């Protein structure tokens, strides 16, 4: 996984095993792109994008863990 945040609790989001269509994969990439766009300036109400892995299946998005939800 590209990216790092030492000591940070994270959640790894992956596409479903049966999400094999290009459209479903593009939805995962679009989510990561949106998170990346708000991550640059940072926003208190948006989880922080830690990293992504799109080189092979399953696609993964690593985001910060929020204790309360």
């Amino acid at each position: 996984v590209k990216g790092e945040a030492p000591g940070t609790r994270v959640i790894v989001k992956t596409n479903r095993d049966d999400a094999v269509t290009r459209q479903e994969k593009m939805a995962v990439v679009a989510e990561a792109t949106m998170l990346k766009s708000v991550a640059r300036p940072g926003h208190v109400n948006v989880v922080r994008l830690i990293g992504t892995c799109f080189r092979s299946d399953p696609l993964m998005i690593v985001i910060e863990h929020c204790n309360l939800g």
Side-chain angles (χ1 to χ4, degrees):
V1 176
K2 186 176 181 180
E4 62 179 81
T8 301
R9 294 182 70 183
V10 299
I11 295 174
V12 178
K13 294 180 69 175
T14 64
N15 59 316
R16 298 185 328 259
D17 290 337
D18 61 344
V20 295
T21 68
R22 179 171 171 79
Q23 184 177 8
E24 291 169 318
K25 288 182 179 183
M26 292 307 296
V28 174
V29 173
E31 179 181 0
T33 302
M34 184 274 306
L35 288 169
K36 186 177 180 180
S37 71
V38 296
R40 293 275 183 226
H43 192 286
V44 69
N45 295 326
V46 178
V47 295
R48 188 167 53 118
L49 176 67
I50 305 298
T52 59
C53 182
F54 294 151
R55 289 189 179 181
S56 62
D57 286 327
L59 305 180
M60 292 182 267
I61 299 174
V62 183
I63 56 176
E64 70 177 328
H65 177 267
C66 296
N67 288 330
L68 301 175

